[in-house]
């Protein structure tokens, strides 16, 4: 957001997610017992503003939160970069349900640095009516560093969900974005059984020039999506984007070096690919595997390798266990 925005306008923006895929919006508009959009606890807003303090630490200078979204006080738990706060996003509900509209806006001032993660995996519940959305906007200042590393997304059978992440990244800034999408509650036979899931990542320069556009679209529920054909029989898909100044080939090489060599990762359960991004603006990786835990660990290993190459420190222990 630019300039002052009233709380009423902010809530109105959050309640209206913009264009929604026809597949996501195709379900019944209402059902007995369901709460409509705008009911208490249905429109979640989270605005975070980070600034560089005089002592060199990055601080959460301002925030606005509305249930079901909220954050803990940032923790300085990174031994390699002790001036960097780790912020944990939380939900006061038990997951995402029909009619939820979640809107997150994160701004990092010049030369500030923040790590943002979630308290736990995000569960998208079955929806008898309506659909749910989540929009994330990341705006980086000159020389800023943002690491967006949420826990996995678990879409239940019969869910309809659309999410987007849009980021503005100056050429001298660093952005690391990870995402792990699971097949759902596989033990309950809900493998890739979502009604509709649409996920889009758009990363651009301040003048609007796009550098990354990546879209995932899964539709059809248990009878209309051939998971074996599309995912090669995998139960999880992981993605990592790293935008950073410097030679992209060297960054990609550091991420490739992590494959097979990082301790604690079951590399025999995953398949990985690493490539440079257009115009040498960074590197990215895609991981697929039969175990969500193995995919998540592989993405973390490459995040840690990229972090070491760009920032000189490996990924911190995010202390969730």
């Amino acid at each position: 957001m630019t300039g002052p925005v009233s709380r009423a306008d902010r809530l109105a923006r959050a309640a209206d997610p913009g264009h929604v895929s026809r597949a996501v919006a195709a379900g019944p508009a209402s059902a007995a017992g369901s709460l409509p959009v705008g009911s208490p606890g249905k429109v979640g807003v989270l605005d975070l503003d980070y600034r560089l303090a005089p002592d060199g630490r990055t601080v959460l200078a301002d925030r606005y939160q509305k249930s079901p979204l909220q954050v803990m006080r940032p923790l300085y738990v990174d031994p390699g970069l002790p001036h960097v706060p780790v912020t944990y996003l939380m939900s006061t509900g038990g997951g995402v349900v029909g009619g939820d509209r979640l809107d997150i806006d994160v701004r990092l001032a010049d030369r500030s640095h923040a790590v943002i993660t979630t308290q736990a995996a995000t569960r998208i519940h079955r929806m008898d009516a309506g659909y749910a959305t989540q929009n994330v906007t990341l705006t980086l200042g000159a020389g800023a560093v943002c690491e967006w590393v949420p826990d996995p997304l678990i879409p239940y059978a019969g869910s309809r969900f659309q999410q987007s992440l849009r980021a503005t990244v100056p050429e001298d800034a660093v952005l690391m974005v990870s995402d792990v999408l699971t097949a759902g509650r596989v033990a309950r036979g809900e493998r890739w059984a979502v009604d509709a899931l649409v996920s889009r990542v758009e990363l651009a320069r301040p003048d609007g020039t796009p550098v990354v556009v990546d879209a995932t679209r899964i539709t059809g529920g248990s009878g209309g999506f051939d998971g074996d054909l599309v995912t090669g029989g995998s139960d999880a898909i992981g993605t990592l984007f790293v935008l950073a100044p410097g030679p992209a080939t060297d960054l990609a090489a550091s991420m490739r070096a992590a494959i097979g060599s990082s301790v604690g990762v079951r590399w025999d359960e995953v398949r990985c690919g690493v490539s440079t991004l257009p115009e040498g603006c960074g590197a990215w990786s895609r991981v697929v595997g039969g175990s969500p835990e193995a995919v998540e660990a592989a993405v973390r290993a490459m995040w840690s390798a990229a972090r070491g190459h760009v920032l000189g420190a490996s990924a911190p222990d995010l202390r969730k266990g």
Side-chain angles (χ1 to χ4, degrees):
M1 296 182 296
T2 58
V5 176
S6 70
R7 295 306 185 207
D9 289 343
R10 183 66 183 90
L11 290 174
R13 192 193 93 177
D16 180 7
H19 173 74
V20 176
S21 167
R22 207 178 320 178
V24 171
S30 62
S34 63
L35 294 175
V37 177
S39 299
K42 302 295 290 179
V43 179
V45 175
L46 185 61
D47 292 345
L48 305 176
D49 281 278
Y50 294 92
R51 297 286 186 273
L52 193 65
D55 63 2
R57 294 191 311 157
T58 293
V59 297
L60 180 57
D62 191 19
R63 72 176 178 183
Y64 169 62
Q65 60 188 36
K66 180 182 178 298
S67 180
L69 294 175
Q70 63 181 34
V71 296
M72 294 174 55
R73 179 179 179 180
L75 303 177
Y76 295 85
V77 294
D78 185 347
L81 298 173
H83 61 287
V84 175
V86 178
T87 303
Y88 296 83
L89 276 57
M90 300 182 296
S91 173
T92 56
V96 178
V97 298
D100 282 359
R101 302 289 184 265
L102 308 178
D103 196 280
I104 300 170
D105 202 336
V106 179
R107 295 171 290 265
L108 291 95
D110 296 352
R111 298 179 302 284
S112 62
H113 181 177
V115 177
I116 304 167
T117 186
T118 53
Q119 183 188 37
T122 300
R123 291 168 169 78
I124 314 299
H125 290 276
R126 179 183 184 88
M127 296 169 190
D128 294 326
Y131 57 88
T133 63
Q134 175 175 280
N135 289 335
V136 177
T137 303
L138 310 175
T139 305
L140 280 65
V145 180
C146 179
E147 300 177 76
W148 178 269
V149 285
D151 281 3
L153 185 73
I154 305 175
Y156 289 10
S159 59
R160 292 180 293 275
F161 181 63
Q162 178 172 299
Q163 68 172 0
S164 71
L165 183 146
R166 297 180 176 88
T168 301
V169 190
E171 292 190 7
D172 63 348
V174 175
L175 174 66
M176 302 186 187
V177 171
S178 73
D179 175 75
V180 176
L181 171 64
T182 74
R185 297 182 295 182
V186 176
R188 299 189 59 169
E190 297 184 357
R191 188 171 181 270
W192 299 116
V194 297
D195 275 2
L197 186 146
V198 174
S199 179
R200 188 173 178 89
V201 174
E202 300 178 11
L203 313 181
R205 296 305 187 193
D207 65 359
T209 302
V211 292
V212 170
V213 177
D214 183 65
T216 300
R217 186 175 185 269
I218 299 173
T219 61
S222 58
F225 176 74
D226 190 338
D228 289 337
L229 176 64
V230 176
T231 69
S234 300
D235 287 340
I237 305 170
T239 307
L240 174 68
F241 292 107
V242 181
L243 268 63
T249 52
D250 293 348
L251 172 59
S254 71
M255 294 165 62
R256 289 192 191 100
I259 300 175
S261 62
S262 298
V263 178
V265 182
R266 302 193 298 274
W267 293 103
D268 59 323
E269 297 185 18
V270 300
R271 286 172 288 171
C272 309
V274 178
S275 181
T276 56
L277 290 169
E279 305 298 329
C281 67
W284 77 294
S285 174
R286 189 88 82 194
V287 183
V288 295
S291 162
E293 294 78 13
V295 170
E296 185 179 10
V299 170
R300 176 185 167 83
M302 283 185 282
W303 166 45
S304 187
R307 201 176 196 259
H309 177 80
V310 176
L311 304 175
S314 58
D317 179 3
L318 296 179
R319 302 187 182 183
K320 301 178 188 181

